[in-house]
Amino acid sequence: MPATTECYMRAIEVVIQPPQSHCSVSKVTYQDFVLAAWTTGLALSFVRECRVPPHIASALKSGGHASILTRVGNLDFDVIQAVHDAGDDLIRALVDPATGTLPHLILFPEQIFQLSALLFSTRKGNSPNILTTHLANSANDQYSTNVKTATASVLLSLARRYQTTDCTTLLGLRKTCYFTTDSVVLLLHYIAASLCPNASIYNDIGVMLCGLGPGETVTGPQGQSMSGRDIARLYYERGLQVDPTHPHLLSNLGSLLKDAGHTTHAIGIFHHTLSVHPDLDIALVNMANTLKDTGRCAEAVPYYLRAISVNPNFSDAYCGLSHSMNAVCQWGERDVWMRKAIEVCEKQLSDADTQATGLLRTKSLEEWMALVQLAHGRPLSSVEEKEWIQRFRLFFVDDPSVTSANCNEASFLIRLLEWCLSRMQHAWYIKSYGHTVRADTPQPSLSTTNRLTLPMCSVLSSLGYPKLPFILPFHTFTLPLTPRTIRLIAHRNALNAFYTATTYTNKTAIVYPPPPPPVRGKLNIGYVSSDYNDHPLTHLMKSVFSLHNSQQFNVFLYATSPSDGSLHRQYYERQTTFHFTEVSSWSVSAIVDRIVQDQIHILVNLGGYTKGARNEVFAARPCPVQISLMGFAGTLGAGWCDYLVCDEVACPPDLFATVSAHPAQSASRAEDGSHAGVGVPVNEGCDPSSPATDWIYTERPIYMPHSFFVTDHKQSYRHDEQSLPPNPASSTDLWLAELRRREEARCAIFPDLPKDVVIFANFNQLYKIDPVIFCIWLRILYRVPRSILWLLRFPAAGEANLIQTATVWAGPEVASRIRFTDVAVKELHIYRCRVADLVLDTVECSAHTVATDVLWSGTPIIACAWQSHRHKMSSRVAASVAYATGLGKQMVVHGWEEYEDRAVTLANSLRRHDMLISPSARLLQKGNSKAGGSSPATTGPSLYGNDGEDLGELMELRKRLFLTRKSMPLFDTARWTRNLEKGYVAAWKRWVEGRQFAYGEDTCIRVQDNEG
């Protein structure tokens, strides 16, 4: 501890020391002062708080030193002296037995005003030395104020030092520190604000309260539950009463409002802030972030640029700026900021390796080994014991030649606890039910009241939130990142979710009881999502939940977002084939308890790292088997996610750590023939922080046949069939009717377009377009002169930027052939997809839902499965669904040259012999002739064979797509659901047998389709 910190502590002791105790051996100490302040704050919180922690309630009932809490506020009671006299007995009475620490204090602004008055109640709110040493000045208010100001300054100086150094020696000679760094820093700020309230201290308290976990709540004035962020807003508002123009209070309040969804109010706050402080970098970035998150990316860009001009080192602006520029295709400087954002992100990921170093050494090696043995549920073999000890020792030695540079201690600690939770839950099941995969009769449920708690999880109290990089997992879809960087970004968010989940259980990790064996094999499946509304996920999956075999599966849906009032939400709410529960206002603990109560065997994550997802529910591990499906096209990098539903096109097998990256086995272990691996790897194998770049997925794969991507078009989007013959005599009649509809829609959208012009299209949001793919599109337009490129104003601000770029890169003639239309509602969008001749996919992040919309309309797509992007699931979704049509070989390409040539070849197949009218119109003419109608004259020789249907490769491909769409695997939702059920059954069986925890090829679940 620096000498200055020691001096500051001694200064506080001078202020609080009664003169008669200066020569006493038993004088009060700085540690007594801090504990007395905490005790006083705890007593204050009880005035409003109705939920007294059980261990404190028990201590109060038993009397003893805990009774100090009941005497706080008495004018003749010296709480500092009482705490000093009680010694460690008071701490032992009040410390949380689960965490070994004193809990955070969350105090309201009006409560901290009383803090110093109660702390020094025998001296009328003044510190002891003011009234005794300086009697002549005791009536001088200015002198008292000066002393309080100086004391507050010393306390804030101490707080700053604790934030940058370890405070484990805070309690002097006591061997154990009962305060976490965050809790003591917050407490010192409370005292300082009580002595000398000012706007800056209120701002600092608000920032710290925002950093508390959402599970740390207090009771509000109306009896409502309020989180740290709720209380932070009160401090910001109180601070603005003191200083209405305080820059950071204004900016932080706006940011808080933005995060709470009050974007209009937040933008107003930022406008006011910048009118007073036009060069405040944080306010500029907060304004930009708010505009970006509300879809106003073009307006956000100038604010980011202003922030960087004011502060070139303000790295938080880089990611938002590059994202906003990309969203509107403003590519001029995007690459510069994107590279800087990636550089800063990689540094953030590297710096995280040093977080919480030394934390494992707060417990002995023997204690950690005892935890491992407890998780195993049996004695360790000599090989297991040796390998575990080797891993723990990496964090117990100070020799840099022994400790790896990439041994991320925070990651290892959390992964260890996750590993223990899953193994102990499994051991609990085996102990209670044996290796029973299914039961003929109902088995007794395990008690939910006698939950197991990991004995070593008290170290979480000293960990603090795992640091997050500012590039979000969803942003990795469109950024050129390495497999390791993508994996680490996901992993950091996974660690954060686990830590957040523990804030709901007072920083403890709970082993939840597993469900009983399924009766006659009937599994309980839970789906958690925030998208049971008018959302693409619902558009794709709506029928899946009712298509489950009700004889083999009970289905539970947990909606983590409120209703949007749409017909889609009403559909879910009125269904009786599955259980639907809205949990949008529930805490994570309440949701977890409900899932445990529903005895869910397999819990499915439909959100991943998307807006509104509640990954903390999964991080708490309420279920034996937890699966990621559909919602997030990538790895979650999480120990709390066991499986990823995918296919081999989207996710090649060698990119799964459990298949290809398991740790090298020792010779003795290889002789055992064991494939389970030993515990939690460090800097090797499946450790997400390892330097390996040849794998990305931490989950085990459930490989679906055809495609992992499900569609609901056959059930939900058949409105277009109303204009088709109800009972066509042949497929030719159906095809002719489709061609007529297509020609009518084409004329409606592009009335000025000549019939022989080829329509290329892309219906993605513009953020998916990158300069590389756009350059290829321009080359295709150049090589196919009679063609246009149809894009959406998605957003509208991107149109001018793309036209300008095309003009510079390819000239005005090619640029003039790029057409934009507005975004259409879902049904109209699907209907007009048929107007395009060929859809050109994007490569960094492919079309997902849009790809299925296009294929359902019968329009072919050039889909990407490039070798350079094989590690990005998000890049290969369109290829996956294209193969599921059975015609993927004609549509999927593996590099940019093949992409360009394939598009040109298909387009030119429509224009043989320089037709003056479109091929579809020619066929319509032939159909009309057969019906006795007249057809206009055409030039050039006939394009048809004897059957009149030789329209070229692209039109033949379109015809096959349209006529087989109801039978192809891609749109057979019931068949897809049956295959998914096979995966669920296999996953449950593997968990019971313990094979889920193994390494190697056997960890893959490969679903076989026996239906054709």
Side-chain angles (χ1 to χ4, degrees), residues 832-848:
R832 71 182 192 176
C833 280
R834 59 179 30 87
V835 171
D837 289 301
L838 181 64
V839 167
L840 304 176
D841 194 22
T842 44
V843 63
E844 282 294 344
C845 183
S846 72
H848 295 182

Side-chain angles (χ1 to χ4, degrees), residues 242-263:
V242 177
D243 181 358
T245 64
H246 191 282
H248 295 290
L249 278 170
L250 286 168
S251 184
N252 289 334
L253 176 59
S255 182
L256 195 67
L257 292 169
K258 173 246 183 185
D259 292 342
H262 307 300
T263 53

Side-chain angles (χ1 to χ4, degrees), residues 59-78:
L60 288 171
K61 286 182 180 179
S62 61
H65 292 292
S67 62
I68 290 175
L69 288 168
T70 64
R71 300 175 62 193
V72 170
N74 293 347
L75 294 179
D76 60 346
F77 181 65
D78 187 340

Side-chain angles (χ1 to χ4, degrees), residues 839-907:
V839 167
L840 304 176
D841 194 22
T842 44
V843 63
E844 282 294 344
C845 183
S846 72
H848 295 182
T849 306
V850 166
T852 61
D853 296 338
V854 165
L855 292 168
W856 176 251
S857 75
T859 300
I861 183 173
I862 299 294
C864 300
W866 295 12
Q867 181 69 19
S868 57
H869 290 69
R870 68 191 302 270
H871 64 285
K872 297 185 74 170
M873 184 180 185
S874 60
S875 175
R876 302 168 71 86
V877 175
S880 170
V881 300
Y883 276 119
T885 65
L887 302 168
K889 291 183 179 180
Q890 293 177 262
M891 295 185 282
V892 178
V893 296
H894 303 87
W896 71 267
E897 291 179 330
E898 184 185 1
Y899 184 111
E900 182 180 324
D901 291 342
R902 187 72 184 136
V904 172
T905 299
L906 288 174

Side-chain angles (χ1 to χ4, degrees), residues 27 293 528 719 760:
K27 65 181 182 180
D293 292 347
V528 180
H719 310 86
F760 297 110

